[in-house]
Amino acid sequence: MESTFITAIQNIATPEVLLVIFLSAVYGLFVGSIPGLTATMAVALLIPLTFYLDNLSAIAAIVTLEACSIFAGDIPTTLVRIPGTPSSAAYTDDAYALTRRGLHETSLGISLVFSVFGGLFGALVLIFAAPQLAKIAFQFTTYEYFWLYVLGLSCAAIVSTGSRLKGALALMIGLMFATVGLSEVHSMPRFTFGFDELFTGINFIPAMIGLFGLSEVFRNTLTSKTYEAAEKLQSAVKEEDDHSLLRHLKPVFGGVLPQFWKRKFSWLRSSCIGSTIGMIPGAGADIAAWISYAVSKKFSNTPEEYGKGSLDAVGDATSANNSALAGAWIPALVLGIPGDSVTAIVIGVLLMKNITPGPEIFQNTEQLVLVHGIYLTFIIANLLLIPLGFLAIRSGSQLVRIPRRILMPMILMFCVVGAYSINGSYFDVWVMLGMGMLGFVLEVFDVPLGPVVLGIILGGQLEQSFVQNLTKDDSLLSFFNRPISAGLGLFCIALWLVPVIMPLIRKKSATT
């Protein structure tokens, strides 16, 4: 094993592979920072080039691109309130609230540092625990998946800003949109209203762009309070304008490293959550971010700040979603089961290169060298993210210096282009516009938007696993007939009951 590791170091230290890693990092940062262009899309666009690359270069390009684009998605999330990735939706309100207070560079610095350390933690989990931890994930059946989806959705509603009832309402709206299109189980069209484009359901990326991005345009245009706050932010930033890179190292990193050290145990907890969720096929970084956000708020000394501009929320959630990236490679490499959409593409690339993922990949010497190369690439990509991520923050931060009357039309253009570019469909643009108006109305009544997005993403999978479980056994007790599913189910029930019971207990103790 030691010889294969040394061989992997020698292979990856060549100028050709290092150049591929660097170019992939730049490409990932560029694509990730454009609203609507996701990491999955960037990887898909890269696939034709992998035909002309050797095995290690092809996989290294995908690993680096994914790691960098996930962080880059935090840039539009923070600066213009358009989540660059689905996982960013968990902390969009916090990141943008910090921007409105002039703390955009600090927020992005937190995202960068916690993303890097979260990614490195995920890489270590991938290196040392892949075979053992994959066995646990392999034991998951549709019952465990059902409770996992319920857990992710419950966390989204419970940790949302303001009233939990409004959070539940937002979740119900998202689940309602998830029922549009062909049924996941019976293949019957529902609520399509004669539009063929709705047969495949509502695309969550245009919906996400509309809910967060376009609604922000409406809010800035139609409410004078927001406009005045934006102008005040721009004035404050312009007063500090300095083009020296060293001048901006302090706001980005100055308070971030002490913050990281102060919350090292919270970072460790969030990274563990991310890596564990990432190992579960189909879960992905978005569920990891939501669950980590919920746990962070639960143990926080200042839970009232969550949703209103909490650096702790941003740090913990970004740690989780970046550690989940490496975790998703565990079932992909060990079992040949994709952990998320990116690793699904990776499996296709491996098969194209005549490499079959599975336990045998760790026994074949040549393929084991490739696996060790993947380990090293994760480490290199996350370390490379520090300088390149800082430059991306500096470049992206110029957005807040643009006058609002110019920036808002630019955001509108990005919203339209991002929605159209997914499928080349004008219908998606209309979906984005409709969701933008819905998002604006919901925000007027202080209804959170994050649960709406997660409901659209997970609603179909929740329905599918529920029907599959009832098809196996129509008794509700069957949902608790396995140790793991029983544990997850009881945890979800406790999650629902604690917010109801605790006020009653406090009230009773206060009267006595």
Side-chain angles (χ1 to χ4, degrees):
M1 181 175 178
E2 184 177 347
S3 62
T4 57
F5 192 76
I6 294 174
T7 304
I9 294 176
Q10 293 172 344
N11 291 344
I12 209 168
T14 60
E16 293 81 5
V17 177
L18 293 177
L19 179 62
V20 167
I21 291 175
F22 176 78
L23 294 177
S24 300
V26 174
Y27 172 57
L29 288 169
F30 173 74
V31 173
S33 61
I34 299 176
L37 303 186
T38 63
T40 304
M41 179 189 296
V43 171
L45 294 175
L46 188 69
I47 295 306
L49 297 178
T50 61
F51 283 98
Y52 307 99
L53 298 175
D54 60 83
N55 295 349
L56 179 58
S57 297
I59 300 302
I62 295 175
V63 170
T64 307
L65 191 160
E66 180 185 24
C68 293
S69 60
I70 291 297
F71 159 72
D74 290 344
I75 295 176
T77 299
T78 303
L79 298 179
V80 293
R81 201 169 174 257
I82 305 177
T85 61
S87 56
S88 302
Y91 48 90
T92 298
D93 290 336
D94 290 276
Y96 189 69
L98 290 166
T99 297
R100 296 179 66 188
R101 281 154 47 187
L103 299 175
H104 50 285
E105 290 187 339
T106 302
S107 176
L108 287 171
I110 289 283
S111 296
L112 176 58
V113 171
F114 278 75
S115 293
V116 168
F117 282 107
L120 291 173
F121 181 90
L124 293 176
V125 172
L126 175 63
I127 293 170
F128 294 108
Q132 293 77 13
L133 294 176
K135 294 177 183 178
I136 299 176
F138 192 59
Q139 296 176 5
F140 271 55
T141 65
T142 53
Y143 293 105
E144 284 79 14
Y145 279 118
F146 170 78
W147 287 117
L148 182 67
Y149 298 143
V150 171
L151 178 61
L153 293 166
S154 301
C155 289
I158 291 173
V159 306
S160 57
T161 309
S163 167
R164 290 193 178 97
L165 187 60
K166 290 181 179 179
L169 172 63
L171 183 60
M172 291 299 107
I173 293 174
L175 292 174
M176 178 186 69
F177 283 126
T179 63
V180 174
L182 293 174
S183 168
E184 294 280 352
V185 181
H186 303 105
S187 299
M188 293 292 293
R190 303 173 300 187
F191 309 114
T192 57
F193 302 103
F195 292 102
D196 294 341
E197 294 86 352
L198 289 177
F199 270 55
T200 55
I202 293 177
N203 192 322
F204 74 87
I205 293 180
M208 185 172 65
I209 293 173
L211 284 168
F212 289 102
L214 189 60
S215 66
E216 184 63 23
V217 174
F218 289 151
R219 193 158 66 93
N220 275 273
T221 305
L222 301 176
T223 58
S224 58
K225 183 178 180 181
T226 304
Y227 182 83
E228 290 169 2
E231 293 297 323
K232 189 179 295 184
L233 167 62
Q234 290 166 2
S235 300
V237 171
K238 286 176 181 177
E239 288 175 3
E240 299 177 350
D241 197 6
D242 191 330
H243 295 290
S244 170
L245 288 177
L246 294 176
R247 164 69 177 79
H248 291 275
L249 281 173
K250 185 175 181 180
V252 175
F253 292 113
V256 172
L257 294 178
Q259 175 83 359
F260 174 80
W261 183 251
K262 176 183 175 183
R263 294 189 56 78
K264 54 185 178 294
F265 296 113
S266 298
W267 161 81
L268 181 61
R269 179 189 63 215
S270 300
S271 298
C272 289
I273 292 173
S275 298
T276 304
I277 298 299
M279 285 185 292
I280 301 169
D286 48 346
I287 295 181
W290 279 106
I291 293 178
S292 176
Y293 187 100
V295 174
S296 176
K297 183 177 181 180
K298 179 69 176 176
F299 289 97
S300 174
N301 294 325
T302 56
E304 68 279 357
E305 293 183 4
Y306 281 60
K308 300 176 182 178
S310 170
L311 289 172
D312 296 344
V314 174
D316 289 351
T318 51
S319 297
N321 63 25
N322 280 269
S323 61
L325 300 180
W329 283 70
I330 294 176
L333 291 176
V334 179
L335 305 171
I337 301 174
D340 56 15
S341 56
V342 171
T343 49
I345 298 175
V346 169
I347 289 177
V349 173
L350 290 174
L351 294 174
M352 181 182 69
K353 299 284 187 179
N354 295 318
I355 300 172
T356 303
E360 297 80 11
I361 202 173
F362 292 88
Q363 299 173 354
N364 184 296
T365 303
E366 182 180 350
Q367 295 183 359
L368 188 58
V369 171
L370 176 63
V371 172
H372 289 165
I374 293 173
Y375 297 161
L376 291 170
T377 304
F378 264 108
I379 295 174
I380 294 172
N382 280 284
L383 293 177
L384 186 60
L385 185 58
I386 296 175
L388 292 182
F390 170 71
L391 294 176
I393 290 173
R394 286 294 304 121
S395 300
S397 295
Q398 303 303 318
L399 282 173
V400 299
R401 295 178 170 86
I402 302 174
R404 228 56 182 174
R405 63 183 181 276
I406 298 176
L407 181 60
M408 288 300 111
M410 289 176 60
I411 295 176
L412 178 60
M413 180 191 70
F414 277 123
C415 290
V416 173
V417 172
Y420 178 80
S421 63
I422 306 301
N423 298 311
S425 170
Y426 288 107
F427 188 83
D428 284 344
V429 177
W430 286 108
V431 169
M432 183 270 297
L433 291 172
M435 289 294 179
M437 289 186 284
L438 174 65
F440 174 71
V441 172
L442 290 178
E443 286 200 313
V444 168
F445 294 97
D446 295 324
V447 177
L449 302 180
V452 179
V453 175
L454 200 65
I456 296 173
I457 296 174
L458 295 182
Q461 300 172 61
L462 177 71
E463 179 191 10
Q464 183 178 13
S465 61
F466 181 71
V467 174
Q468 286 175 341
N469 293 338
L470 290 181
T471 304
K472 294 177 185 177
D473 189 338
D474 58 4
S475 171
L476 292 179
L477 293 177
S478 64
F479 286 78
F480 301 89
N481 63 359
R482 293 167 51 85
I484 299 178
S485 63
L488 286 172
L490 292 174
F491 183 76
C492 289
I493 293 173
L495 199 64
W496 303 332
L497 294 180
V498 166
V500 177
I501 295 175
M502 289 305 294
L504 298 177
I505 296 176
R506 293 194 192 100
K507 185 177 181 180
K508 185 176 181 180
S509 60
T511 54
T512 58

